[in-house]
PDB file of all heavy atoms in Angstrom:
ATOM      1  N   CYS A 181       0.833  -1.184   0.000  1.00 86.00           N
ATOM      2  CA  CYS A 181       0.000   0.000   0.000  1.00 86.00           C
ATOM      3  C   CYS A 181       0.877   1.246   0.000  1.00 86.00           C
ATOM      4  O   CYS A 181       2.106   1.157   0.066  1.00 86.00           O
ATOM      5  CB  CYS A 181      -0.933  -0.002   1.211  1.00 86.00           C
ATOM      6  SG  CYS A 181      -0.049  -0.060   2.783  1.00 86.00           S
ATOM      7  N   GLN A 182       0.229   2.375  -0.046  1.00 87.00           N
ATOM      8  CA  GLN A 182       0.935   3.646  -0.001  1.00 87.00           C
ATOM      9  C   GLN A 182       0.117   4.627   0.821  1.00 87.00           C
ATOM     10  O   GLN A 182      -1.085   4.442   1.024  1.00 87.00           O
ATOM     11  CB  GLN A 182       1.155   4.192  -1.403  1.00 87.00           C
ATOM     12  CG  GLN A 182      -0.117   4.385  -2.209  1.00 87.00           C
ATOM     13  CD  GLN A 182       0.150   4.751  -3.641  1.00 87.00           C
ATOM     14  OE1 GLN A 182       0.976   5.608  -3.919  1.00 87.00           O
ATOM     15  NE2 GLN A 182      -0.529   4.102  -4.577  1.00 87.00           N
ATOM     16  N   GLU A 183       0.779   5.645   1.307  1.00 86.00           N
ATOM     17  CA  GLU A 183       0.102   6.649   2.118  1.00 86.00           C
ATOM     18  C   GLU A 183      -0.966   7.355   1.295  1.00 86.00           C
ATOM     19  O   GLU A 183      -0.744   7.712   0.142  1.00 86.00           O
ATOM     20  CB  GLU A 183       1.127   7.665   2.629  1.00 86.00           C
ATOM     21  CG  GLU A 183       0.583   8.641   3.638  1.00 86.00           C
ATOM     22  CD  GLU A 183       1.645   9.566   4.185  1.00 86.00           C
ATOM     23  OE1 GLU A 183       2.301   9.199   5.179  1.00 86.00           O
ATOM     24  OE2 GLU A 183       1.840  10.646   3.595  1.00 86.00           O
ATOM     25  N   CYS A 184      -2.123   7.518   1.879  1.00 88.00           N
ATOM     26  CA  CYS A 184      -3.229   8.160   1.183  1.00 88.00           C
ATOM     27  C   CYS A 184      -2.887   9.617   0.877  1.00 88.00           C
ATOM     28  O   CYS A 184      -2.512  10.380   1.776  1.00 88.00           O
ATOM     29  CB  CYS A 184      -4.503   8.079   2.035  1.00 88.00           C
ATOM     30  SG  CYS A 184      -5.927   8.916   1.302  1.00 88.00           S
ATOM     31  N   HIS A 185      -3.013  10.016  -0.383  1.00 88.00           N
ATOM     32  CA  HIS A 185      -2.667  11.376  -0.798  1.00 88.00           C
ATOM     33  C   HIS A 185      -3.723  12.391  -0.376  1.00 88.00           C
ATOM     34  O   HIS A 185      -3.450  13.593  -0.289  1.00 88.00           O
ATOM     35  CB  HIS A 185      -2.495  11.423  -2.320  1.00 88.00           C
ATOM     36  CG  HIS A 185      -3.669  10.888  -3.076  1.00 88.00           C
ATOM     37  ND1 HIS A 185      -4.806  11.614  -3.299  1.00 88.00           N
ATOM     38  CD2 HIS A 185      -3.880   9.664  -3.635  1.00 88.00           C
ATOM     39  CE1 HIS A 185      -5.670  10.888  -3.982  1.00 88.00           C
ATOM     40  NE2 HIS A 185      -5.157   9.695  -4.204  1.00 88.00           N
ATOM     41  N   GLU A 186      -4.933  11.904  -0.096  1.00 90.00           N
ATOM     42  CA  GLU A 186      -6.020  12.814   0.252  1.00 90.00           C
ATOM     43  C   GLU A 186      -5.894  13.319   1.691  1.00 90.00           C
ATOM     44  O   GLU A 186      -6.200  14.478   1.983  1.00 90.00           O
ATOM     45  CB  GLU A 186      -7.364  12.108   0.070  1.00 90.00           C
ATOM     46  CG  GLU A 186      -8.568  13.001   0.235  1.00 90.00           C
ATOM     47  CD  GLU A 186      -8.726  13.995  -0.908  1.00 90.00           C
ATOM     48  OE1 GLU A 186      -8.198  13.746  -2.014  1.00 90.00           O
ATOM     49  OE2 GLU A 186      -9.390  15.021  -0.680  1.00 90.00           O
ATOM     50  N   CYS A 187      -5.435  12.450   2.585  1.00 90.00           N
ATOM     51  CA  CYS A 187      -5.342  12.820   4.011  1.00 90.00           C
ATOM     52  C   CYS A 187      -3.913  12.773   4.538  1.00 90.00           C
ATOM     53  O   CYS A 187      -3.693  12.917   5.742  1.00 90.00           O
ATOM     54  CB  CYS A 187      -6.227  11.909   4.861  1.00 90.00           C
ATOM     55  SG  CYS A 187      -5.718  10.168   4.839  1.00 90.00           S
ATOM     56  N   ASP A 188      -2.949  12.528   3.649  1.00 87.00           N
ATOM     57  CA  ASP A 188      -1.527  12.434   4.039  1.00 87.00           C
ATOM     58  C   ASP A 188      -1.294  11.372   5.099  1.00 87.00           C
ATOM     59  O   ASP A 188      -0.477  11.544   6.009  1.00 87.00           O
ATOM     60  CB  ASP A 188      -1.008  13.793   4.538  1.00 87.00           C
ATOM     61  CG  ASP A 188      -0.999  14.843   3.435  1.00 87.00           C
ATOM     62  OD1 ASP A 188      -0.758  14.474   2.276  1.00 87.00           O
ATOM     63  OD2 ASP A 188      -1.244  16.026   3.743  1.00 87.00           O
ATOM     64  N   GLY A 189      -2.051  10.272   5.004  1.00 82.00           N
ATOM     65  CA  GLY A 189      -1.846   9.162   5.922  1.00 82.00           C
ATOM     66  C   GLY A 189      -2.491   9.318   7.280  1.00 82.00           C
ATOM     67  O   GLY A 189      -2.337   8.465   8.152  1.00 82.00           O
ATOM     68  N   GLU A 190      -3.243  10.395   7.493  1.00 83.00           N
ATOM     69  CA  GLU A 190      -3.862  10.640   8.793  1.00 83.00           C
ATOM     70  C   GLU A 190      -5.155   9.856   8.982  1.00 83.00           C
ATOM     71  O   GLU A 190      -5.577   9.592  10.109  1.00 83.00           O
ATOM     72  CB  GLU A 190      -4.150  12.137   8.965  1.00 83.00           C
ATOM     73  CG  GLU A 190      -2.914  13.005   9.072  1.00 83.00           C
ATOM     74  CD  GLU A 190      -2.136  12.731  10.330  1.00 83.00           C
ATOM     75  OE1 GLU A 190      -2.754  12.457  11.379  1.00 83.00           O
ATOM     76  OE2 GLU A 190      -0.891  12.775  10.274  1.00 83.00           O
ATOM     77  N   GLY A 191      -5.827   9.523   7.880  1.00 85.00           N
ATOM     78  CA  GLY A 191      -7.113   8.850   7.988  1.00 85.00           C
ATOM     79  C   GLY A 191      -8.259   9.807   8.243  1.00 85.00           C
ATOM     80  O   GLY A 191      -9.420   9.421   8.278  1.00 85.00           O
ATOM     81  N   ILE A 192      -7.936  11.079   8.438  1.00 89.00           N
ATOM     82  CA  ILE A 192      -8.920  12.119   8.731  1.00 89.00           C
ATOM     83  C   ILE A 192      -8.621  13.327   7.848  1.00 89.00           C
ATOM     84  O   ILE A 192      -7.459  13.673   7.641  1.00 89.00           O
ATOM     85  CB  ILE A 192      -8.878  12.539  10.217  1.00 89.00           C
ATOM     86  CG1 ILE A 192      -9.213  11.350  11.119  1.00 89.00           C
ATOM     87  CG2 ILE A 192      -9.833  13.692  10.494  1.00 89.00           C
ATOM     88  CD1 ILE A 192      -9.048  11.657  12.588  1.00 89.00           C
ATOM     89  N   VAL A 193      -9.653  13.953   7.336  1.00 91.00           N
ATOM     90  CA  VAL A 193      -9.485  15.193   6.581  1.00 91.00           C
ATOM     91  C   VAL A 193     -10.087  16.347   7.378  1.00 91.00           C
ATOM     92  O   VAL A 193     -11.030  16.159   8.165  1.00 91.00           O
ATOM     93  CB  VAL A 193     -10.147  15.099   5.187  1.00 91.00           C
ATOM     94  CG1 VAL A 193      -9.409  14.104   4.316  1.00 91.00           C
ATOM     95  CG2 VAL A 193     -11.619  14.697   5.301  1.00 91.00           C
ATOM     96  N   PHE A 194      -9.519  17.527   7.186  1.00 89.00           N
ATOM     97  CA  PHE A 194      -9.948  18.710   7.922  1.00 89.00           C
ATOM     98  C   PHE A 194     -10.316  19.820   6.939  1.00 89.00           C
ATOM     99  O   PHE A 194      -9.750  19.915   5.851  1.00 89.00           O
ATOM    100  CB  PHE A 194      -8.818  19.214   8.829  1.00 89.00           C
ATOM    101  CG  PHE A 194      -8.292  18.187   9.795  1.00 89.00           C
ATOM    102  CD1 PHE A 194      -7.246  17.342   9.428  1.00 89.00           C
ATOM    103  CD2 PHE A 194      -8.831  18.060  11.062  1.00 89.00           C
ATOM    104  CE1 PHE A 194      -6.754  16.396  10.306  1.00 89.00           C
ATOM    105  CE2 PHE A 194      -8.346  17.116  11.953  1.00 89.00           C
ATOM    106  CZ  PHE A 194      -7.312  16.288  11.573  1.00 89.00           C
ATOM    107  N   TRP A 195     -11.263  20.649   7.315  1.00 87.00           N
ATOM    108  CA  TRP A 195     -11.554  21.844   6.533  1.00 87.00           C
ATOM    109  C   TRP A 195     -12.124  22.918   7.465  1.00 87.00           C
ATOM    110  O   TRP A 195     -12.645  22.631   8.543  1.00 87.00           O
ATOM    111  CB  TRP A 195     -12.507  21.536   5.388  1.00 87.00           C
ATOM    112  CG  TRP A 195     -13.918  21.215   5.774  1.00 87.00           C
ATOM    113  CD1 TRP A 195     -14.968  22.076   5.825  1.00 87.00           C
ATOM    114  CD2 TRP A 195     -14.434  19.928   6.158  1.00 87.00           C
ATOM    115  NE1 TRP A 195     -16.102  21.411   6.218  1.00 87.00           N
ATOM    116  CE2 TRP A 195     -15.806  20.098   6.412  1.00 87.00           C
ATOM    117  CE3 TRP A 195     -13.856  18.651   6.298  1.00 87.00           C
ATOM    118  CZ2 TRP A 195     -16.614  19.038   6.827  1.00 87.00           C
ATOM    119  CZ3 TRP A 195     -14.653  17.609   6.689  1.00 87.00           C
ATOM    120  CH2 TRP A 195     -16.021  17.789   6.948  1.00 87.00           C
ATOM    121  N   ASN A 196     -11.963  24.147   7.034  1.00 87.00           N
ATOM    122  CA  ASN A 196     -12.371  25.292   7.848  1.00 87.00           C
ATOM    123  C   ASN A 196     -13.431  26.109   7.137  1.00 87.00           C
ATOM    124  O   ASN A 196     -13.459  26.200   5.900  1.00 87.00           O
ATOM    125  CB  ASN A 196     -11.171  26.197   8.149  1.00 87.00           C
ATOM    126  CG  ASN A 196     -10.103  25.486   8.942  1.00 87.00           C
ATOM    127  OD1 ASN A 196     -10.398  24.836   9.927  1.00 87.00           O
ATOM    128  ND2 ASN A 196      -8.856  25.602   8.498  1.00 87.00           N
ATOM    129  N   THR A 197     -14.312  26.695   7.926  1.00 85.00           N
ATOM    130  CA  THR A 197     -15.228  27.716   7.431  1.00 85.00           C
ATOM    131  C   THR A 197     -14.851  29.029   8.105  1.00 85.00           C
ATOM    132  O   THR A 197     -13.849  29.099   8.827  1.00 85.00           O
ATOM    133  CB  THR A 197     -16.684  27.342   7.760  1.00 85.00           C
ATOM    134  OG1 THR A 197     -16.866  27.355   9.189  1.00 85.00           O
ATOM    135  CG2 THR A 197     -17.032  25.974   7.216  1.00 85.00           C
ATOM    136  N   ASP A 198     -15.610  30.026   7.899  1.00 81.00           N
ATOM    137  CA  ASP A 198     -15.299  31.316   8.524  1.00 81.00           C
ATOM    138  C   ASP A 198     -15.342  31.242  10.044  1.00 81.00           C
ATOM    139  O   ASP A 198     -14.645  31.994  10.735  1.00 81.00           O
ATOM    140  CB  ASP A 198     -16.282  32.392   8.046  1.00 81.00           C
ATOM    141  CG  ASP A 198     -16.098  32.727   6.573  1.00 81.00           C
ATOM    142  OD1 ASP A 198     -14.996  32.439   6.056  1.00 81.00           O
ATOM    143  OD2 ASP A 198     -17.044  33.250   5.957  1.00 81.00           O
ATOM    144  N   LYS A 199     -16.157  30.311  10.566  1.00 81.00           N
ATOM    145  CA  LYS A 199     -16.340  30.277  12.018  1.00 81.00           C
ATOM    146  C   LYS A 199     -15.882  28.979  12.672  1.00 81.00           C
ATOM    147  O   LYS A 199     -15.609  28.955  13.867  1.00 81.00           O
ATOM    148  CB  LYS A 199     -17.828  30.498  12.352  1.00 81.00           C
ATOM    149  CG  LYS A 199     -18.340  31.867  11.957  1.00 81.00           C
ATOM    150  CD  LYS A 199     -19.793  32.030  12.375  1.00 81.00           C
ATOM    151  CE  LYS A 199     -20.307  33.427  12.006  1.00 81.00           C
ATOM    152  NZ  LYS A 199     -21.735  33.601  12.404  1.00 81.00           N
ATOM    153  N   HIS A 200     -15.811  27.892  11.914  1.00 84.00           N
ATOM    154  CA  HIS A 200     -15.560  26.606  12.550  1.00 84.00           C
ATOM    155  C   HIS A 200     -14.515  25.796  11.782  1.00 84.00           C
ATOM    156  O   HIS A 200     -14.258  26.038  10.597  1.00 84.00           O
ATOM    157  CB  HIS A 200     -16.854  25.789  12.651  1.00 84.00           C
ATOM    158  CG  HIS A 200     -17.940  26.465  13.423  1.00 84.00           C
ATOM    159  ND1 HIS A 200     -17.922  26.576  14.798  1.00 84.00           N
ATOM    160  CD2 HIS A 200     -19.081  27.084  13.003  1.00 84.00           C
ATOM    161  CE1 HIS A 200     -19.000  27.213  15.193  1.00 84.00           C
ATOM    162  NE2 HIS A 200     -19.717  27.538  14.133  1.00 84.00           N
ATOM    163  N   ARG A 201     -13.946  24.815  12.506  1.00 85.00           N
ATOM    164  CA  ARG A 201     -13.029  23.848  11.906  1.00 85.00           C
ATOM    165  C   ARG A 201     -13.681  22.471  12.015  1.00 85.00           C
ATOM    166  O   ARG A 201     -14.177  22.096  13.084  1.00 85.00           O
ATOM    167  CB  ARG A 201     -11.679  23.839  12.640  1.00 85.00           C
ATOM    168  CG  ARG A 201     -10.686  22.798  12.106  1.00 85.00           C
ATOM    169  CD  ARG A 201      -9.352  22.945  12.825  1.00 85.00           C
ATOM    170  NE  ARG A 201      -8.423  21.870  12.524  1.00 85.00           N
ATOM    171  CZ  ARG A 201      -7.659  21.813  11.448  1.00 85.00           C
ATOM    172  NH1 ARG A 201      -7.709  22.793  10.562  1.00 85.00           N
ATOM    173  NH2 ARG A 201      -6.821  20.810  11.251  1.00 85.00           N
ATOM    174  N   TYR A 202     -13.695  21.711  10.939  1.00 86.00           N
ATOM    175  CA  TYR A 202     -14.356  20.420  10.921  1.00 86.00           C
ATOM    176  C   TYR A 202     -13.367  19.314  10.566  1.00 86.00           C
ATOM    177  O   TYR A 202     -12.315  19.563   9.969  1.00 86.00           O
ATOM    178  CB  TYR A 202     -15.490  20.413   9.885  1.00 86.00           C
ATOM    179  CG  TYR A 202     -16.594  21.406  10.180  1.00 86.00           C
ATOM    180  CD1 TYR A 202     -16.541  22.692   9.648  1.00 86.00           C
ATOM    181  CD2 TYR A 202     -17.675  21.055  10.977  1.00 86.00           C
ATOM    182  CE1 TYR A 202     -17.547  23.602   9.909  1.00 86.00           C
ATOM    183  CE2 TYR A 202     -18.690  21.955  11.242  1.00 86.00           C
ATOM    184  CZ  TYR A 202     -18.631  23.237  10.703  1.00 86.00           C
ATOM    185  OH  TYR A 202     -19.629  24.131  10.963  1.00 86.00           O
ATOM    186  N   GLU A 203     -13.726  18.099  10.946  1.00 88.00           N
ATOM    187  CA  GLU A 203     -12.936  16.938  10.555  1.00 88.00           C
ATOM    188  C   GLU A 203     -13.878  15.776  10.282  1.00 88.00           C
ATOM    189  O   GLU A 203     -14.977  15.710  10.823  1.00 88.00           O
ATOM    190  CB  GLU A 203     -11.929  16.552  11.637  1.00 88.00           C
ATOM    191  CG  GLU A 203     -12.545  16.079  12.945  1.00 88.00           C
ATOM    192  CD  GLU A 203     -11.483  15.676  13.953  1.00 88.00           C
ATOM    193  OE1 GLU A 203     -10.721  16.553  14.383  1.00 88.00           O
ATOM    194  OE2 GLU A 203     -11.441  14.464  14.291  1.00 88.00           O
ATOM    195  N   ALA A 204     -13.424  14.869   9.416  1.00 90.00           N
ATOM    196  CA  ALA A 204     -14.241  13.706   9.064  1.00 90.00           C
ATOM    197  C   ALA A 204     -13.332  12.589   8.584  1.00 90.00           C
ATOM    198  O   ALA A 204     -12.173  12.821   8.195  1.00 90.00           O
ATOM    199  CB  ALA A 204     -15.255  14.063   7.980  1.00 90.00           C
ATOM    200  N   GLU A 205     -13.859  11.368   8.628  1.00 90.00           N
ATOM    201  CA  GLU A 205     -13.104  10.227   8.118  1.00 90.00           C
ATOM    202  C   GLU A 205     -12.842  10.416   6.636  1.00 90.00           C
ATOM    203  O   GLU A 205     -13.728  10.825   5.888  1.00 90.00           O
ATOM    204  CB  GLU A 205     -13.885   8.942   8.358  1.00 90.00           C
ATOM    205  CG  GLU A 205     -13.206   7.689   7.848  1.00 90.00           C
ATOM    206  CD  GLU A 205     -14.038   6.441   8.080  1.00 90.00           C
ATOM    207  OE1 GLU A 205     -14.007   5.936   9.220  1.00 90.00           O
ATOM    208  OE2 GLU A 205     -14.722   5.995   7.147  1.00 90.00           O
ATOM    209  N   CYS A 206     -11.614  10.131   6.225  1.00 91.00           N
ATOM    210  CA  CYS A 206     -11.242  10.277   4.821  1.00 91.00           C
ATOM    211  C   CYS A 206     -12.017   9.277   3.969  1.00 91.00           C
ATOM    212  O   CYS A 206     -11.991   8.069   4.228  1.00 91.00           O
ATOM    213  CB  CYS A 206      -9.742  10.059   4.648  1.00 91.00           C
ATOM    214  SG  CYS A 206      -9.176  10.162   2.929  1.00 91.00           S
ATOM    215  N   ALA A 207     -12.701   9.776   2.953  1.00 90.00           N
ATOM    216  CA  ALA A 207     -13.501   8.910   2.083  1.00 90.00           C
ATOM    217  C   ALA A 207     -12.633   8.138   1.095  1.00 90.00           C
ATOM    218  O   ALA A 207     -13.064   7.131   0.546  1.00 90.00           O
ATOM    219  CB  ALA A 207     -14.527   9.755   1.326  1.00 90.00           C
ATOM    220  N   GLU A 208     -11.417   8.602   0.877  1.00 88.00           N
ATOM    221  CA  GLU A 208     -10.535   7.943  -0.078  1.00 88.00           C
ATOM    222  C   GLU A 208      -9.967   6.644   0.486  1.00 88.00           C
ATOM    223  O   GLU A 208      -9.882   5.629  -0.203  1.00 88.00           O
ATOM    224  CB  GLU A 208      -9.384   8.882  -0.459  1.00 88.00           C
ATOM    225  CG  GLU A 208      -8.421   8.337  -1.492  1.00 88.00           C
ATOM    226  CD  GLU A 208      -9.015   8.284  -2.887  1.00 88.00           C
ATOM    227  OE1 GLU A 208     -10.042   8.971  -3.127  1.00 88.00           O
ATOM    228  OE2 GLU A 208      -8.469   7.572  -3.740  1.00 88.00           O
TER     229      GLU A 208
END
């Protein structure tokens, strides 16, 4: 296998809005 390019191997992805920071399981 190889490290997931979508989450950099973390298994979790993060994104921000103007007010909040969110995280979710990487779908890739």
Side-chain angles (χ1 to χ4, degrees):
C181 59
Q182 57 188 314
E183 188 176 272
C184 177
H185 54 80
E186 187 70 23
C187 64
D188 295 326
E190 293 294 324
I192 299 174
V193 292
F194 304 89
W195 70 95
N196 298 312
T197 65
D198 292 339
K199 295 183 179 180
H200 301 286
R201 177 176 171 82
Y202 297 92
E203 65 178 65
E205 179 181 280
C206 178
E208 182 72 18

